[in-house]
């Protein structure tokens, strides 16, 4: 069977030029003679307008992704880094914390702790390796202006105090050494804040992130708070959906290429049921759940008690996990 | 190839090809569509040579008919019924997954589609000891889940390793990579027909993940590529005797169904929720069998919504357990 040229990611002008000259299939352009691939001379002339090395260019277009068996994947998955949340039941539920190279979604009503969770993760990702942390930096893409430096410094201070206490009690040389570089100021310095107002800003920042991450290899967390807010400026629903998927595709590539965790926050919307009461579900549609790997629904029960329900978790069944938000950030529920 | 070149026939000399291209005849279809007398005038070849060329091209490039009996014998000798390892699902499908077909599993988000695919992949690799290809378009493949499922079944460690090694995972980022992979796979399968570790089932999770970027297209590129993909998959399924298991999304719609007017002459309409597979009307025709999954607490309701040989609305209920779907 021949592979048509339209199934290659060719620039529009190149594909129309080749089509005019009668090239319909990949075999027309480049065929195997005695095991060696040879480009058709006319096609080569056209390709040379796009690239100085037509053979290499053509080979890159036809590149096939590599297969890896599940056993190697298992080893990779077990080695996957995780960002701890300081709440033991939550960490246990997430197999150690928010995973790297995956997209996690936190959705919830306003005031349910989403931004608090994001700020907390920005601090936790920076915990030094001596304390079994990732010692990474964080990028906070802010589209709803919920980022407050004072709250971040509160959480940072609590984390530093906690770590210094551990270092003092453990008398571990590595930990004491690490504490010299780990302070409230250093935590604040390692969080990069990007402000977005419209969907154009958001898309531009995500695309720029690729360049940014190749220069700042220490980044281990990208937070987008919130993804729904920036997309509300688009009127056309179809355009909104297609932009959302472009965004998610870019985020997926970034997550796996640069070994970062992507955390996205989402709002809730009403699901109209015919016979039952209307319920609240995460916004952006059913298909958004398709693009993220883990979904968590956050809710507030009392002043400082919150719960986290998993909407999509491949490895475990759905469970409700309670946690508290205190002055120091996310913590385990204290039973009085 | 479709483009005229001298490799096709020695009569296609440089002079002949140059004249043909100057007049706009590039491909075999152009050559066959044109009047032979006109071609004699353009190529300066004798008439009998043109007729010989035409016969040659038709022999090499056209499709041939065969009798139904031959087709039936071919299916009977070459296709295989692959058991999914889930008893109730096998009973629903009439024995299992039949090679040469495209199966689709659709459902709302969180309705255990990926769980089903992982369970089937594990069962085929474990019990049937066959290789399975798992094409992962949304980074959802979890080796840990398969490992924990095998642990729950209390399989020996060496067998666990062997089973995991039989599942080949490919991570694709976009549709073009999917095409590259499918074409390379077709070449490999055609060459390795006689080897012992052959492949019978290819799982693709999931299809909408690669097509959503074409949603807002004005030139309908997405529709053309969907047709190409369907064509490629059907060709591979039939030629290499494999079965494709695709994962598709479903979306909710509200349809108003008008009730019959009652005696007081008031017409009432009822809003019912309809769950439709994603990817549009064009894709509705492509798979030969379509299963709809619905998660209800810790069970999954599987129903057939499209099939050639299984009665519609037949369904089964699977339980979600630690060892997979049962």
């Amino acid at each position: 069977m021949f592979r048509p040229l339209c199934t290659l990611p060719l620039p529009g002008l190149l594909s129309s030029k080749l089509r005019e000259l009668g090239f319909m299939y990949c075999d027309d352009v480049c065929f195997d003679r005695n095991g060696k691939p040879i480009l058709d001379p006319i096609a080569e002339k056209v390709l040379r307008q796009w690239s100085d090395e037509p053979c290499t260019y053509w080979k890159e277009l036809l590149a096939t992704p590599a297969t890896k068996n599940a056993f190697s994947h298992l080893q990779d998955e077990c080695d996957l880094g995780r960002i701890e949340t300081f709440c033991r039941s939550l960490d246990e539920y997430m197999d150690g914390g928010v995973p790297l190279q995956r997209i996690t979604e936190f959705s919830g009503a306003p005031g349910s702790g989403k931004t608090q969770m994001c700020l907390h993760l920005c601090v936790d990702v920076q915990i030094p390796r001596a304390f079994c942390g990732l010692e990474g930096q964080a990028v906070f893409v802010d589209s709803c202006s919920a980022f407050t430096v004072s709250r971040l410094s509160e959480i940072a201070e609590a984390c530093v105090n906690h770590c210094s206490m551990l270092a003092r009690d453990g008398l571990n040389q590595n930990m004491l050494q690490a504490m010299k570089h780990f302070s409230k100021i250093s935590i604040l310095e390692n969080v990069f804040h990007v402000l977005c107002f419209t969907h154009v800003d958001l898309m531009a920042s995500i695309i720029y992130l690729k360049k940014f991450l190749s220069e700042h290899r220490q980044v281990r967390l990208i937070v987008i708070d919130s993804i729904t807010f920036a997309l509300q400026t688009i009127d056309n629903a179809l355009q909104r959906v297609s932009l959302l998927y472009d965004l998610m595709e870019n985020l997926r590539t970034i997550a796996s290429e640069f070994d970062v965790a992507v955390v996205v926050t989402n709002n809730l919307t009403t699901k109209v049921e015919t016979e039952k009461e209307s319920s609240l579900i995460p916004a952006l549609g059913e298909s958004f759940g398709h693009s993220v790997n883990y979904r968590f629904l956050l809710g507030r029960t009392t002043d400082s008690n919150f719960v986290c329900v998993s909407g999509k978790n491949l490895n475990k069944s759905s469970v409700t996990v309670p946690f508290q938000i205190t002055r120091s950030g996310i913590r385990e529920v204290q039973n009085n | 190839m479709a483009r005229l070149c001298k490799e096709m026939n020695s009569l296609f000399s440089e002079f002949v090809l140059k004249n043909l291209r100057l007049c706009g005849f590039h491909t075999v279809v152009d050559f066959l569509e044109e009047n032979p007398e006109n071609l004699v005038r353009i190529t300066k070849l004798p008439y009998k040579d043109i007729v010989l060329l035409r016969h040659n091209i038709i022999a090499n490039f056209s499709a041939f008919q065969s009798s139904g009996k031959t087709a039936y014998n071919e299916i009977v000798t070459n296709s295989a019924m692959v058991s999914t390892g889930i008893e109730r699902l096998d009973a629903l499908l009439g024995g299992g997954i039949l090679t040469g077909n495209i199966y689709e599993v659709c459902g709302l988000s969180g309705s255990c589609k990926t769980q089903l695919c992982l369970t089937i992949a594990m069962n085929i690799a474990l019990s049937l000891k066959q290789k399975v290809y798992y094409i992962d378009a949304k980074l959802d493949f979890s080796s840990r889940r398969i490992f924990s499922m095998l642990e729950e079944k209390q399989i020996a460690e060496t067998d666990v390793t062997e089973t995991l090694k039989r599942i080949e995972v490919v991570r694709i980022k976009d549709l073009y990579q999917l095409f590259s992979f499918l074409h390379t796979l077709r070449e490999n399968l055609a060459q390795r027909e006689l080897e012992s570790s052959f492949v019978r089932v290819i799982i693709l999770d999931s299809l909408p993940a690669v097509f959503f970027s074409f949603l807002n297209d004005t030139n309908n590129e997405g529709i053309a590529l969907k047709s190409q993909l369907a064509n490629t998959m059907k060709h591979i399924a039939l030629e290499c005797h494999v079965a494709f298991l695709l994962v598709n999304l479903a979306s909710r719609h509200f349809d108003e169904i008008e009730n019959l007017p009652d005696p007081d002459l008031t017409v009432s309409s009822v809003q019912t929720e309809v769950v439709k597979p994603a990817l549009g009307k064009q894709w509705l025709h492509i798979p030969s069998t379509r299963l709809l999954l619905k998660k209800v607490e810790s069970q999954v309701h599987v129903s057939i919504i499209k099939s050639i040989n299984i009665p519609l609305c037949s369904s089964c209920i699977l339980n979600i357990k630690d060892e997979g779907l049962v």
Side-chain angles (χ1 to χ4, degrees):
Chain A
M1 185 194 185
F2 307 132
R3 181 178 176 180
L5 272 184
C6 63
T7 63
L8 287 179
L10 294 170
L13 202 55
L14 176 59
S15 74
S16 54
K17 270 198 183 172
L18 287 173
R19 214 178 314 130
E20 267 167 45
L21 292 168
F23 291 98
M24 305 292 288
Y25 300 103
C26 294
D27 275 340
D28 290 340
V29 173
C30 175
F31 40 87
D32 275 337
R33 190 180 291 151
N34 305 329
K36 242 181 58 171
I38 300 177
L39 279 179
D40 183 281
I42 302 176
E44 196 179 332
K45 223 193 307 186
V46 177
L47 283 174
R48 219 166 258 285
Q49 294 171 13
W50 262 264
S51 158
D52 288 327
E53 303 277 321
C55 266
T56 339
Y57 179 63
W58 191 253
K59 233 187 256 173
E60 268 170 19
L61 283 174
L62 275 129
T64 312
T67 38
K68 215 167 156 181
N69 64 35
F71 189 61
S72 328
H73 269 291
L74 183 66
Q75 291 167 331
D76 290 341
E77 268 175 53
C78 290
D79 291 336
L80 211 59
R82 289 179 185 270
I83 308 174
E84 287 184 359
T85 62
F86 267 70
C87 169
R88 196 172 303 133
S89 29
L90 209 53
D91 282 340
E92 240 175 62
Y93 186 63
M94 293 197 225
D95 280 330
V98 173
L100 293 184
Q101 296 190 27
R102 301 282 187 271
I103 305 179
T104 311
E105 179 202 6
F106 288 106
S107 52
S112 55
K114 308 189 292 292
T115 311
Q116 296 294 317
M117 178 68 83
C118 294
L119 292 172
H120 190 85
L121 288 170
C122 284
V123 171
D124 282 348
V125 73
Q126 300 186 39
I127 295 174
R129 276 196 205 100
F131 297 91
C132 302
L134 289 170
E135 212 170 299
Q137 297 170 318
V139 173
F140 196 104
V141 179
D142 188 5
S143 68
C144 57
S145 312
F147 184 78
T148 41
V149 185
S150 47
R151 180 59 180 141
L152 184 66
S153 41
E154 253 184 13
I155 302 176
E157 203 175 317
C159 185
V160 169
N161 289 341
H162 185 93
C163 289
S164 351
M165 207 169 66
L166 276 175
R168 274 201 306 274
D169 288 346
L171 287 173
N172 189 324
Q173 278 307 318
N174 287 338
M175 286 187 189
L176 290 166
Q177 187 69 20
M179 282 317 292
K180 289 187 188 157
H181 306 287
F182 189 58
S183 65
K184 190 170 84 176
I185 305 292
S186 79
I187 295 179
L188 291 177
E189 275 177 356
N190 284 322
V191 177
F192 300 101
H193 180 248
V194 183
L195 196 58
C196 299
F197 293 111
T198 64
H199 60 277
V200 180
D201 294 336
L202 183 61
M203 193 64 187
S205 1
I206 305 289
I207 294 176
Y208 181 67
L209 262 179
K210 285 188 189 164
K211 182 159 175 280
F212 183 81
L213 288 174
S214 43
E215 288 160 14
H216 293 83
R217 288 273 164 180
Q218 277 296 103
V219 174
R220 291 277 93 82
L221 172 69
I222 298 174
V223 174
I224 304 187
D225 182 20
S226 80
I227 202 162
T228 12
F229 220 77
L231 297 176
Q232 278 169 355
T233 50
I234 308 177
D235 282 330
N236 184 349
L238 216 55
Q239 193 190 357
R240 199 183 319 148
V241 176
S242 103
L243 181 68
L244 182 62
Y245 289 108
D246 268 335
L247 267 173
M248 297 315 286
E249 206 180 295
N250 278 318
L251 285 173
R252 233 176 290 156
T253 346
I254 289 175
S256 60
E257 204 181 307
F258 296 101
D259 197 24
V260 292
V262 177
V263 172
V264 173
T265 60
N266 197 2
N267 297 342
L268 293 181
T269 185
T270 320
K271 174 175 137 186
V272 177
E273 303 258 6
T274 46
E275 289 125 12
K276 300 178 266 182
E277 292 276 321
S278 303
S279 60
L280 291 172
I281 53 163
L284 296 175
E286 286 285 338
S287 30
F288 183 64
H290 218 53
S291 319
V292 305
N293 299 111
Y294 296 96
R295 303 190 91 177
F296 295 103
L297 195 63
L298 301 180
R300 182 180 225 161
T301 49
T302 63
D303 266 343
S304 61
N305 286 337
F306 294 77
V307 283
C308 170
V309 181
S310 159
K312 176 174 168 185
N313 188 343
L314 212 54
N315 298 328
K316 294 212 164 83
S317 50
S318 188
V319 160
T320 308
V321 178
F323 62 94
Q324 258 189 344
I325 298 185
T326 61
R327 201 156 175 266
S328 347
I330 311 272
R331 291 287 187 270
E332 185 81 28
V333 169
Q334 298 296 332
N335 293 321
N336 295 331
Chain B
M1 2 181 186
R3 198 159 187 275
L4 298 167
C5 59
K6 60 180 189 288
E7 274 77 20
M8 278 183 199
N9 198 307
S10 52
L11 285 168
F12 278 130
S13 65
E14 283 293 338
F15 173 75
V16 168
L17 286 175
K18 196 172 105 178
N19 284 340
L20 282 171
R21 280 175 197 154
L22 275 171
C23 301
F25 298 106
H26 296 284
T27 64
V28 293
V29 178
D30 297 335
F31 189 83
L32 288 176
E33 276 180 341
E34 187 57 29
N35 202 332
E37 275 99 26
N38 233 2
L39 289 171
V40 169
R41 193 173 44 83
I42 297 172
T43 61
K44 315 269 189 290
L45 286 173
Y47 188 79
K48 67 171 174 57
D49 278 352
I50 298 287
V51 172
L52 192 67
L53 277 172
R54 282 172 68 95
H55 281 154
N56 201 320
I57 289 174
I58 291 174
N60 287 333
F61 290 99
S62 68
F64 286 102
Q65 73 253 44
S66 63
S67 72
K69 187 159 179 253
T70 327
Y72 176 74
N73 285 334
E74 208 187 286
I75 291 177
V76 165
T77 30
N78 290 324
S79 30
M81 182 78 90
V82 181
S83 159
T84 58
I86 307 171
E87 252 181 67
R88 289 184 216 169
L89 189 61
D90 278 343
L92 181 69
L93 292 173
I97 300 179
L98 190 60
T99 57
N101 288 313
I102 301 179
Y103 289 81
E104 185 183 295
V105 169
C106 68
L108 297 170
S109 183
S111 53
C112 294
K113 307 184 286 292
T114 311
Q115 288 286 343
L116 180 66
C117 290
L118 290 176
T119 315
I120 293 177
M122 178 195 72
N123 286 334
I124 294 177
L126 178 66
S127 328
L128 301 171
K129 297 197 181 7
Q130 284 176 7
K131 213 156 105 163
V132 183
Y133 275 101
Y134 196 102
I135 307 175
D136 188 11
K138 51 185 188 108
L139 290 179
D140 251 350
F141 179 79
S142 170
S143 278
R144 287 179 71 153
R145 178 69 181 122
I146 299 193
F147 184 72
S148 58
M149 285 198 280
L150 288 166
E151 266 189 337
E152 284 293 318
K153 286 188 174 213
Q154 289 168 343
I155 308 287
E157 210 181 293
T158 40
D159 287 335
V160 167
T161 321
E162 285 305 308
T163 309
L164 285 174
K165 284 190 179 160
R166 280 183 210 123
I167 305 176
E168 295 274 353
V169 182
V170 186
R171 291 242 153 101
I172 55 164
K173 292 184 192 154
D174 54 35
L175 188 56
Y176 304 110
Q177 279 197 342
L178 175 60
F179 273 115
S180 300
F181 174 71
L182 286 177
H183 280 270
T184 321
L185 179 68
R186 190 192 60 85
E187 281 167 22
N188 291 344
L189 288 179
Q191 286 168 3
R192 286 209 260 141
E193 277 265 334
L194 304 163
E195 269 188 29
S196 55
S197 64
F198 48 47
V199 177
R200 284 277 178 254
V201 177
I202 301 171
I203 301 178
L204 174 51
D205 180 15
S206 74
L207 213 44
V210 290
F211 277 111
F212 277 133
S213 49
F214 292 102
L215 257 184
N216 204 21
D217 247 356
T218 42
N219 59 353
N220 291 331
E221 204 184 330
I223 296 181
L225 288 171
K226 262 188 243 173
S227 298
Q228 281 295 347
L229 184 63
N231 208 11
T232 315
M233 285 200 295
K234 283 195 173 165
H235 190 94
I236 296 177
L238 285 169
E239 207 186 68
C240 310
H241 313 295
V242 294
F244 276 92
L245 180 62
L246 311 174
V247 170
N248 193 7
L249 264 188
S251 47
R252 266 185 270 246
H253 298 272
F254 286 106
D255 273 349
E256 284 206 10
I257 298 179
E258 291 201 359
N259 281 343
L260 295 169
D262 49 0
D264 319 9
L265 290 174
T266 51
V267 176
S268 54
S269 66
V270 172
Q271 272 205 333
T272 51
E273 196 184 284
V274 172
V275 175
K276 283 190 195 152
L279 290 178
K281 286 202 172 137
Q282 175 201 24
W283 197 260
L284 287 178
H285 307 288
I286 310 289
S288 57
T289 308
R290 185 179 270 117
L291 303 167
L292 179 67
L293 295 190
K294 197 168 151 184
K295 184 168 166 192
V296 176
E297 276 159 48
S298 66
Q299 292 183 326
V300 179
H301 291 231
V302 182
S303 49
I304 306 260
I305 52 175
K306 179 182 188 234
S307 172
I308 303 173
N309 47 7
I310 309 169
L312 292 181
C313 306
S314 35
S315 63
C316 72
I317 298 178
L318 303 177
N319 294 312
I320 309 170
K321 289 213 180 118
D322 282 333
E323 66 237 33
L325 287 180
V326 162

